[in-house]
Amino acid sequence: MTDRGLGVVTLQDVAGLPEFVHLGSHSHSHEPMGTVSMPDFLADFETCRRLFAERLRRPLTTYAFPNGAYRGEQIEALLAHGIERVLLVDERPTPGGSPVISRLTVGGTIRGQFLGKSTDASGGFTHDAVRVAGADLVLVSGTNLLRQPLIDA
């Protein structure tokens, strides 16, 4: 990645990420998919899959629904098309081994939690992280990507 301060991450930046960095799609159109017809949903998904293959040279294996809006038939279609992980915002625990993963928001009232911040050498790049029971959960917003290990606060 080039040192552009807080500029936009480019396609070249993303394509150049190491293979251990997991990438997923959040749709192409960013429509609330719960209100989109199945043909339109599948067309949007195929656009994402094609862009991943052609521009990132990676398979699309993870899909997150924009705005948390989805229908059950869309989850079934994604799994049938080879998606390995479907991310939801249902705020429910996810059974182990399930390919459908619901987000649980971690709040500030959990015992043993603390916040950490990390900045790059210029001081312009930051992220917030939460440590719960020894595990780091990195909260990345916008176009910021974690570029160095967490510095404990």
Side-chain angles (χ1 to χ4, degrees), residues 22-26 52 60-64:
H22 186 89
L23 301 174
S25 178
H26 192 54
F52 261 65
L60 175 57
T61 59
T62 299
Y63 186 93

Side-chain angles (χ1 to χ4, degrees), residues 26-42 44-45 63-75 78 87-89:
H26 192 54
S27 85
H28 181 70
S29 65
H30 207 264
E31 294 291 324
M33 293 300 164
T35 61
V36 172
S37 71
M38 275 306 285
D40 288 346
F41 170 74
L42 291 172
D44 187 276
F45 167 70
Y63 186 93
F65 285 96
N67 305 306
Y70 68 93
R71 295 190 311 277
E73 65 183 323
Q74 293 167 329
I75 294 173
L78 290 170
L87 308 179
L88 308 177
V89 292

Side-chain angles (χ1 to χ4, degrees), residues 56-112:
L56 298 177
R57 306 276 187 238
R58 294 182 186 212
L60 175 57
T61 59
T62 299
Y63 186 93
F65 285 96
N67 305 306
Y70 68 93
R71 295 190 311 277
E73 65 183 323
Q74 293 167 329
I75 294 173
E76 293 171 15
L78 290 170
L79 296 173
H81 282 86
I83 293 297
E84 298 170 7
R85 286 174 249 19
V86 179
L87 308 179
L88 308 177
V89 292
D90 289 346
E91 300 290 342
R92 289 183 266 179
T94 299
S98 175
V100 180
I101 303 167
S102 182
R103 177 181 74 194
L104 282 176
T105 303
V106 178
T109 59
I110 294 175
R111 184 178 170 153

